[in-house]
Amino acid sequence: MDNEFLPDLYELEDENGNKQTFELLDAMEYGDEKYYALTPYYENGDEALEDSGDVVILKAEYDENNDEILASIEDDDEYEKIGQMFMERIDEMFEFDDEDEDDDCGCGCGCHDHDNLS
């Protein structure tokens, strides 16, 4: 089976010991730091529809064994800056050509008037 299209999943535990699975949307390095943009992952499609679509931004830190752990960004300015960078990157990932918006029939040709198609 080809795993190319399976999402990158992370099981994270909060300060209260609650575990939740997240899907990786994007990762980037900025300066000497690595950051992750994640969203809650649901195996059941109905749960996903009910989700608010929040994006969680976390920073890579390292424990005493030099294992990477994901932690909250404590500095508000850093969080705002990195969050804005991720939102711009994510918007670009899902950006569509302006020509495609005018192509109501889906043919992609651009050679006929889509307003007058039946």
Side-chain angles (χ1 to χ4, degrees):
M1 186 166 154
D2 189 3
N3 292 334
E4 181 178 339
F5 297 105
L6 295 178
D8 291 327
L9 301 179
Y10 291 79
E11 185 175 75
L12 303 178
E13 186 174 329
D14 67 16
E15 61 275 356
N16 298 323
N18 300 316
K19 293 182 181 181
Q20 184 174 357
T21 302
F22 289 86
E23 179 178 352
L24 178 67
L25 295 175
D26 195 11
M28 71 174 179
E29 292 184 16
Y30 182 76
D32 293 334
E33 306 290 346
K34 187 168 185 178
Y35 299 92
Y36 295 86
L38 306 142
T39 190
Y41 175 79
Y42 303 98
E43 289 184 26
N44 179 335
D46 292 337
E47 289 176 328
L49 293 174
E50 294 174 15
D51 184 70
S52 64
D54 289 337
V55 174
V56 178
I57 309 295
L58 300 172
K59 181 179 186 175
E61 294 184 357
Y62 297 89
D63 65 12
E64 61 277 354
N65 297 323
N66 207 30
D67 292 328
E68 184 179 70
I69 57 172
L70 302 182
S72 298
I73 301 172
E74 300 298 327
D75 181 88
D76 290 341
D77 292 336
E78 178 184 12
Y79 183 84
E80 288 297 321
K81 181 175 187 166
I82 299 301
Q84 182 62 36
M85 291 170 69
F86 269 125
M87 291 298 98
E88 289 171 7
R89 288 168 56 106
I90 290 169
D91 283 346
E92 288 174 10
M93 281 186 228
F94 296 103
E95 193 172 271
F96 298 100
D97 265 351
D98 289 339
E99 290 178 15
D100 291 343
E101 291 176 13
D102 295 333
D103 188 9
D104 294 333
C105 74
C107 72
C109 69
C111 66
H112 53 263
D113 183 4
H114 292 100
D115 293 332
N116 294 319
L117 289 177
S118 53

